[in-house]
């Protein structure tokens, strides 16, 4: 049995009910970004941050349709995925951060369920189940 190692600051994430931050890192993701952002905008209480890593397609134009609900950061050079995630995490005060690929569509309640999962002091990170459009689990999830 693993020891109970709660290394998070005390008082954070207890009785979690929304108010986290969903981060999307995009690069030439115009074909997917609207569906991703549309689904995220339905998650009340969540901040949404899109960082565009110097796309040369229409990603930013499509994302700007959601600018009333999505904070958009536009890099003028591609700084890589991890650098972009770190930039976004450092730009939020949220105690819960969910990182999504731009082709992901978060189902209703998914963000709150992920955040609730980490209320357990022995859990430091949680990942959602990846499913295809028909609802079947993707093979990359099964191990």
């Amino acid at each position: 049995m693993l020891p109970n190692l709660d290394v998070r600051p005390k008082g954070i994430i207890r009785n979690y009910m929304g108010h986290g931050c969903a981060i999307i890192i995009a690069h030439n993701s115009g074909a997917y970004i609207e569906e991703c952002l549309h689904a995220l905008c339905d998650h009340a209480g969540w901040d949404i941050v899109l960082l565009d890593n110097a796309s040369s397609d229409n990603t930013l134009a499509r994302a700007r349709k959601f600018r009333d609900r999505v904070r958009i950061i536009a890099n003028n050079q591609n700084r890589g995925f991890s650098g972009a995630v770190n930039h976004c995490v450092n730009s939020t005060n949220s105690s819960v951060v969910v990182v999504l690929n731009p082709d992901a569509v978060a189902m209703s309640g998914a963000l709150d369920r992920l955040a609730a999962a980490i209320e357990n002091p022995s859990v430091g990170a949680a990942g959602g189940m990846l499913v295809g459009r028909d609802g079947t689990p993707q093979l990359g999830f099964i191990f």
Side-chain angles (χ1 to χ4, degrees):
M1 178 144 166
L2 295 174
N4 184 0
L5 302 174
D6 188 358
V7 295
R8 296 170 298 175
K10 301 301 177 205
I12 294 178
I13 308 174
R14 300 292 176 238
N15 299 315
Y16 180 81
M17 291 300 292
H19 307 290
C21 182
I23 294 172
I24 305 98
I25 307 303
H27 178 73
N28 293 335
S29 305
Y32 311 106
I33 199 65
E34 286 185 66
E35 188 175 12
C36 175
L37 293 175
H38 186 314
L40 287 173
C41 287
D42 288 340
H43 289 78
W46 282 81
D47 295 328
I48 305 166
V49 178
L50 169 83
L51 187 142
D52 181 75
N53 246 340
S55 291
S56 59
D57 70 352
N58 60 355
T59 299
L60 275 175
R62 289 175 178 245
R64 286 186 176 123
K65 296 176 185 177
F66 299 87
R67 67 178 159 240
D68 60 325
R69 181 77 172 79
V70 176
R71 184 162 47 106
I72 299 171
I73 301 169
N75 278 349
N76 57 8
Q77 63 182 0
N78 188 333
R79 298 190 179 150
F81 182 79
S82 60
V85 169
N86 287 338
H87 181 95
C88 291
V89 168
N90 289 330
S91 76
T92 184
N93 293 323
S94 296
S95 58
V96 174
V97 174
V98 174
V99 179
L100 295 161
N101 288 339
D103 61 344
V105 178
M107 297 173 68
S108 179
L111 300 181
D112 286 334
R113 287 193 302 275
L114 281 172
I118 62 173
E119 279 191 26
N120 182 327
S122 66
V123 176
M129 186 168 107
L130 303 176
V131 297
R133 291 198 178 271
D134 64 356
T136 58
Q138 292 186 359
L139 295 178
F141 179 78
I142 299 170
F143 52 94

